[in-house]
Amino acid sequence: MRRARYLSQGTHEGQCVVYWMSRDQRTQDNWALWYAQQEAEKRQQPLLVVFHLEKSFLHAQDWHFSFLCQGLQEVEQTLFQLNIPFLLSRGTIQDHLIPLLKQLRPSLVVTDFDPLRIKREWKLIVSQAIPVSMIEVDTHNIVPCWIASDKQEFGARTLRPKIHRLLSEFLTDIPQIHSHPYRFSTILPPNEWPHLALLPPLSPTPGEKAAWEAFLTFFSNGIHRYAQDKNLPLANATSRLSAYFHFGQLSPQRVAYEISQSETISLENKNTFLEELIIRRELSDNFVFYQKNYDNWDGIPAWAKRSLNKHRDDPRPFLYTLETLESAQTHDPLWNACQKSMKKTGYLHGYLRMYWAKKILEWSLSPEEAIEKAIYLNDHYFLDGRDPNGYTGILWSIGGLHDRPFSERPIIGQIRPMTASGCERKFSTRAFIDWVEYLPEL
DNA sequence: ATCGGCTCGCGCAA
DNA sequence: TGCGCGAAGCCGAT
């Protein structure tokens, strides 16, 4: 299967196949888990799923952590019914995951693909510490990241034809896993769920079942207005699936496949949505995978650096500390509403995320500082934070990444401008501000 | 409501 | 070497 590739070659002696679930936390529509089951059946061996909860994994909010854990408890229950044990490893890679894997004596370790540096480092460490073959499967992108392109792409326009050429091969239905025929006989350590998992119900509801419900809601409603209304924050035309994608509780390929097969969705809505779901998402992964400075100044294009450098000494009429930004106390009511939306709900409409980030550039002493603040707030509050989409979106907004230059302005140079008056031309900012005010506190 | 100018560089055609 | 065009815009002219 072209979707799978070796991370390391090693021995194939062992008693089971392990699927190390690192990003895509679901039991169905999961190429990596499916591949692991195929391998286990070929070997007539049991299959185990392991999720490692790193001690240093910084969850900004208790409810982000709870979203993750509640989703995993659903995974545990489903896998139990499929005769596949689920193990939770808590602590550090070195002291907990690696000893656990050694104790399990796998003949093969299969894991899912994640372009983020920290995940790739973990996989490298594990593959060097245990003597078996490790395989990674990209079940997160439709066209596997390393097949779509072998380099950092300049923009959507250079990646798009490469993806489209491969869609007929990769945008297919996804085989489902079934009850596993080989049982694991060794006594396994019991899962000990963190106390946080017992928090009250969350909004949005975590887990695969809830993710599918959310998709069906969009599929029957928002998609039919998508092309026209996607940039209107109160129109309810967007999918709002990004948190489920981030935690891997819903497969982007499943969504893309169902949308593309539908006969009731207009071609314009279909193409507009698939452009965002496939091209833009996979461009973020391409950027994070091939650009090691995906979260700082060094990752932005040369023209943008040149232009921003020219404006370093421009006077800044407004300068805000991180604390002022975080507590939504700037002079700009629209920006404050954006910040309150992300704090109250862990979500902000995509169009306003760009406005939000661009203002931080105007209100900071340097672009470096702006990137740092935006990433801190993004990762701290968004339920879909710490995701390639977030880093790419922030560098697009502040650093002209994947974008073109525009006529020069103070402070922002040739970075594409966005203004409150521009937003006002497109929708009622007052209505958005009022709507945020009445959102319940979490 | 719609249009053009603003501005840089990649990728492809010549 | 030249040319088309690009991820979400802005502003002013018509």
Side-chain angles (χ1 to χ4, degrees):
Chain A
M1 188 176 65
R2 280 180 82 199
R3 203 174 272 282
R5 66 170 189 178
Y6 277 96
L7 281 169
S8 65
Q9 300 262 12
T11 170
H12 290 274
E13 304 295 314
Q15 59 173 352
C16 61
V17 171
V18 168
Y19 171 47
W20 173 12
M21 179 180 265
S22 85
R23 169 164 185 142
D24 286 279
Q25 298 152 20
R26 58 178 180 270
T27 56
Q28 299 294 359
D29 294 330
N30 185 333
W31 284 107
L33 180 55
W34 174 81
Y35 182 85
Q37 183 168 47
Q38 297 294 109
E39 288 296 317
E41 287 187 8
K42 246 189 257 171
R43 293 150 202 256
Q44 305 193 344
Q45 286 182 338
L47 172 63
L48 281 94
V49 177
V50 171
F51 184 85
H52 175 74
L53 207 51
E54 180 75 10
K55 206 174 187 174
S56 64
F57 191 42
L58 288 176
H59 282 274
Q61 319 268 326
D62 284 354
W63 60 291
H64 292 195
F65 190 56
S66 189
F67 192 92
L68 171 78
C69 290
Q70 290 187 29
L72 287 175
Q73 284 179 310
E74 186 186 318
V75 167
E76 181 190 22
Q77 286 164 22
T78 312
L79 289 176
F80 177 78
Q81 288 159 11
L82 295 169
N83 200 27
I84 301 166
F86 178 81
L87 287 181
L88 187 65
S89 155
R90 294 178 66 190
T92 63
I93 294 283
Q94 298 283 6
D95 296 339
H96 299 270
L97 181 63
I98 290 169
L100 174 65
L101 290 178
K102 282 182 175 163
Q103 184 199 333
L104 292 170
R105 288 204 306 111
S107 60
L108 179 71
V109 176
V110 179
T111 188
D112 48 20
F113 169 77
D114 189 320
L116 286 187
R117 191 192 303 125
I118 181 78
K119 294 287 184 70
R120 293 173 65 200
E121 282 168 5
W122 287 352
K123 283 167 191 173
L124 200 67
I125 292 167
V126 171
S127 71
Q128 285 166 358
I130 58 171
V132 299
S133 290
M134 243 177 90
I135 283 177
E136 82 181 328
V137 180
D138 190 346
T139 186
H140 172 68
N141 290 293
I142 292 158
V143 177
C145 195
W146 59 88
I147 292 177
S149 172
D150 60 1
K151 60 166 194 193
Q152 184 189 332
E153 291 294 331
F154 183 77
R157 131 180 87 96
T158 60
L159 181 65
R160 190 178 296 111
K162 299 183 181 183
I163 299 267
H164 278 292
R165 268 201 296 277
L166 293 163
L167 273 187
S168 60
E169 178 184 350
F170 288 102
L171 184 51
T172 61
D173 203 355
I174 307 164
Q176 304 295 296
I177 59 160
H178 46 264
S179 183
H180 197 70
Y182 306 100
R183 184 175 286 277
F184 201 77
S185 51
T186 310
I187 307 236
L188 298 169
N191 286 325
E192 287 177 40
W193 290 98
H195 181 63
L196 278 170
L198 303 172
L199 277 178
L202 296 170
S203 174
T205 314
E208 281 178 271
K209 291 190 184 80
W212 186 248
E213 290 300 315
F215 165 68
L216 290 179
T217 302
F218 174 65
F219 191 71
S220 65
N221 186 348
I223 184 69
H224 300 294
R225 292 175 287 121
Y226 191 77
Q228 209 183 0
D229 293 349
K230 71 186 169 81
N231 287 341
L232 306 178
L234 296 179
N236 219 9
T238 54
S239 69
R240 296 199 56 161
L241 297 174
S242 59
Y244 296 120
F245 289 151
H246 171 70
F247 287 100
Q249 296 173 354
L250 180 63
S251 161
Q253 186 177 346
R254 170 58 57 198
V255 172
Y257 182 72
E258 298 299 329
I259 298 275
S260 69
Q261 295 295 304
S262 163
E263 288 174 2
T264 57
I265 301 168
S266 78
L267 199 62
E268 193 195 4
N269 284 325
K270 215 181 249 196
N271 290 342
T272 308
F273 181 71
L274 291 180
E275 166 77 12
E276 301 219 356
L277 177 64
I278 304 175
I279 305 300
R280 271 173 33 193
R281 247 185 99 261
E282 307 208 356
L283 184 61
S284 316
D285 268 36
N286 170 276
F287 176 66
V288 168
F289 187 55
Y290 289 112
Q291 172 55 257
K292 69 176 162 62
N293 294 302
Y294 60 79
D295 59 356
N296 63 66
W297 165 266
D298 289 329
I300 71 176
W303 66 264
K305 281 185 192 167
R306 220 165 39 230
S307 183
L308 287 167
N309 278 337
K310 224 172 116 183
H311 292 271
R312 278 186 188 275
D313 297 329
D314 288 2
R316 268 75 170 158
F318 301 99
L319 280 173
Y320 295 113
T321 62
L322 182 62
E323 291 68 33
T324 311
L325 295 173
E326 197 163 9
S327 54
Q329 287 174 351
T330 75
H331 67 285
D332 176 355
L334 177 58
W335 194 93
N336 292 342
C338 293
Q339 178 64 28
K340 284 179 196 167
S341 170
M342 71 193 276
K343 271 180 94 161
K344 284 182 169 185
T345 65
Y347 172 80
L348 176 61
H349 189 280
Y351 187 79
L352 284 171
R353 291 191 191 205
M354 305 304 145
Y355 175 78
W356 171 86
K358 283 175 183 290
K359 291 299 129 182
I360 298 178
L361 171 61
E362 292 180 36
W363 304 337
S364 295
L365 274 173
S366 69
E368 288 90 339
E369 192 192 299
I371 292 168
E372 198 178 318
K373 284 180 189 158
I375 288 179
Y376 169 83
L377 294 171
N378 181 84
D379 289 355
H380 202 80
Y381 290 108
F382 283 139
L383 200 48
D384 57 357
R386 306 165 300 279
D387 188 282
N389 285 317
Y391 303 118
T392 307
I394 285 168
L395 290 198
W396 179 86
S397 305
I398 298 179
L401 173 70
H402 300 150
D403 204 10
R404 60 174 165 151
F406 283 78
S407 47
E408 213 155 339
R409 290 180 171 228
I411 308 174
I412 65 170
Q414 294 170 304
I415 302 296
R416 180 192 298 255
M418 279 179 87
T419 60
S421 55
C423 291
E424 190 59 56
R425 272 197 296 274
K426 295 176 178 69
F427 57 89
S428 165
T429 57
R430 187 73 248 167
F432 176 74
I433 293 162
D434 290 342
W435 177 76
V436 171
E437 280 309 313
Y438 288 109
L439 281 173
E441 294 282 348
L442 262 160

